[in-house]
Amino acid sequence: MNQKTTFVPVLSVSSGITDIEFYKKAFGAEQLWRINNPDGTIHVAAFLIDGAQFRLHEEGSRTPSPGKTHGTTVTVALVVDDVHSVVESAMTAGAVLVSPVKDYEYGYRQGEIQDPFGHCWLIEKLLSPETLDNFVHNA
């Protein structure tokens, strides 16, 4: 069986988390599966957002959660059709607005939020491939 190469981000969350409904409410994510620890807390769970998979995993010694490090080294870019509505939905579900939605000179509309677990999400849409192409080649 040949497996298609895919990129599946795995986001670390603090130990003891039980409620991961944020992703369903914010992004319309579908939970594919979930493995709980014996006490009912999350060990690992997989989600799909419009066909794109990501996972949550309980933090480990080499993979601390943003809460433990007081920051994160990764921003997840979520490309959507309606940036404003997704950012609004995420905020209603409990996200914190980091940067309001705005159109940028390089051809993207972007807004940034932080989810309840400390992960940064850049919600974006490419508005003008030509502008991006000119910006990249002339930079």
Side-chain angles (χ1 to χ4, degrees), residues 47-68:
F47 289 93
L48 272 183
I49 300 174
D50 197 23
Q53 187 180 157
F54 75 99
R55 296 184 192 143
L56 299 180
H57 197 291
E58 180 178 39
E59 65 189 340
S61 61
R62 292 185 330 271
T63 55
S65 69
K68 188 160 279 182

Side-chain angles (χ1 to χ4, degrees), residues 11 71 82 86 117 134:
L11 307 177
D82 187 345
V86 173
F117 307 107
N134 289 334

Side-chain angles (χ1 to χ4, degrees), residues 68-114:
K68 188 160 279 182
T69 62
H70 306 290
T72 183
T73 61
V74 174
T75 297
V76 180
L78 182 62
V79 180
V80 299
D81 190 51
D82 187 345
V83 175
H84 288 281
S85 70
V86 173
V87 167
E88 192 63 39
S89 179
M91 290 173 49
T92 299
V96 174
L97 184 65
V98 174
S99 177
V101 176
K102 121 179 197 187
D103 292 352
Y104 288 89
E105 66 277 2
Y106 44 84
Y108 274 91
R109 174 172 296 143
Q110 298 172 320
E112 188 173 0
I113 57 104
Q114 184 178 44

Side-chain angles (χ1 to χ4, degrees), residues 13-27:
V13 294
S14 299
S15 297
I17 298 293
T18 57
D19 184 4
I20 54 175
E21 293 294 306
F22 168 81
Y23 300 103
K24 294 177 186 178
K25 294 174 185 171
F27 306 130

